[in-house]
Amino acid sequence: MSANETPASHQPPAATRDSAFLRACRREPVPHTPVWFMRQAGRSLPEYRKVRQGIGMLDSCMRPDLVTEITLQPVRRHGVDAAIYFSDIVVPLKAIGVDLDIKPGVGPVVEQPVRSRADLARLRDLTPEDVPYVTEAIGQLTSELGPTPLIGFAGAPFTLASYLVEGGPSRTYENAKAMMYGDPGLWADLLDRLSAITAAFLKVQIEAGASAVQLFDSWAGALAPADYRRSVLPASAKVFEAVAGYGVPRIHFGVGTGELLGLMGEAGADVVGVDWRVPLDEAVRRVGPGKALQGNLDPTVLFAPREAVEAKTREVLDAAAGLEGHVFNLGHGVMPATDPDALTRLVEYVHTRTAR
Ligand code: CP3
């Protein structure tokens, strides 16, 4: 078997392979436009808040039964076309021993930020033995999901580096950018380290049964295109290349990335995620041919009355009419205060409106 052939054991069952979601990712004809939502599992769902009571976010990510239940909740409730594995982008960092926590209402906080070569030396490789709960949960999930595809995911090197170097969430990324501009050698080595960890984490998920993967470079929109191309794209490209041989669709997403869409496609994705700032008919010009697009309803639209949600949804679908492959999603994650019924109605609306 050549390096680029998909090992037979990683081919999803035929019904999954033929799902609307995977067909759209491959730019094949679909019975309806597939829909899933970033952060579809989470605080918008009362059943999520209930099972998470008294259990920390990172602890919940390490309990296969809980991961399975939480991942399935939005599939049951909304009838979305794909499940996304319930975890967090910092889970692989925690798994290799980085002292970090996810603080409610804040996000990931790193005890000792990575600012020097000695700090970088603490980031060791990730092996499947570091994350046995991922393999176990995905095994449970793929049998419970039936034909519904499971999306695995990881944080992209830049977005992970932003948390590691800043020590927590940031609006400006001043420490990360100071390293990028001031010590490009250390920066490149840090991103390279993170690309190896990220690739290993995605491989664990694919080998356990994930039938697509999404690389979240949520904060890449903070970068100018030249800096992205020089200092970030090579590391993300390495991640995509590392999982290319499995043949599972690779999705690449960031927020505020209008100016980077072409480069994010170039990094090696099969599907490019678009936030709400660039209409999909413009996004396809920026990304170029040969890639599907995912997006891009503004998540705040869901706070408006049903008629307004439907009108904005039609705008997205109209802009997507000429695409070769379209996966409907929000332009970023579901906001915690979103009415879950509005999400269920949105899935129904997209399915009905695009039924062919
Ligand atoms: O349903 C899904 O999409 C899967 C679950 C998922 C989570 N985090 C669960 C989570 C995914 C895909 C992520 C990825 C993630 N985590 C990203 C990239 C996606 C994006 O939103 O851009 C980022 C930047 C993070 C880092 C992170 N983790 C933040 C910013 C927060 C929010 C902090 C807060 O409390 O507002 C988290 C915590 C987190 N990750 C929660 C969930 C459901 C909330 C914690 C809770 O429910 O107690």
Side-chain angles (χ1 to χ4, degrees), residues 36-43 48 52 57 84-90 102-108 153 159 163 216 218-219 253 255 332-333 336:
W36 71 279
F37 304 120
M38 293 182 276
R39 294 274 175 100
Q40 63 191 17
R43 285 170 291 183
Y48 170 81
R52 275 285 319 281
M57 176 63 196
I84 178 157
Y85 181 72
F86 180 78
S87 183
D88 193 83
I89 57 167
V90 296
I102 297 180
K103 299 235 157 49
V106 178
F153 76 90
T159 291
Y163 286 107
F216 280 96
S218 299
W219 313 136
F253 170 78
V255 184
H332 197 186

Side-chain angles (χ1 to χ4, degrees), residues 112-125:
Q112 278 184 282
V114 174
R115 303 272 169 87
S116 67
R117 218 157 257 289
D119 297 332
L120 170 58
R122 302 196 316 258
L123 301 179
R124 65 163 175 85
D125 274 330

Side-chain angles (χ1 to χ4, degrees), residues 20-21 24 29-36 79-81 280 293 295 316-317 320-321 323 325-329 346-356:
F21 169 72
V30 285
H32 61 260
T33 298
V35 189
W36 71 279
V80 283
D81 293 272
L280 293 175
L293 296 187
V316 171
L317 294 175
L323 303 186
H326 178 215
V327 176
F328 189 96
N329 205 315
L346 176 55
V347 174
E348 260 172 39
Y349 188 73
V350 173
H351 283 172
T352 309
R353 184 120 189 130
T354 61
R356 329 209 215 271

Side-chain angles (χ1 to χ4, degrees), residues 285-298:
R285 280 190 283 276
R286 297 184 187 189
V287 170
K291 304 202 184 279
L293 296 187
Q294 176 174 281
N296 70 344
L297 186 73
D298 183 340

Side-chain angles (χ1 to χ4, degrees), residues 61-62 64 85 87 91 131-139 201 204-205 208:
C61 295
M62 294 170 191
Y85 181 72
S87 183
V91 164
V131 288
Y133 43 87
V134 174
T135 304
E136 193 181 326
I138 292 184
F201 191 57
V204 170
Q205 296 174 67

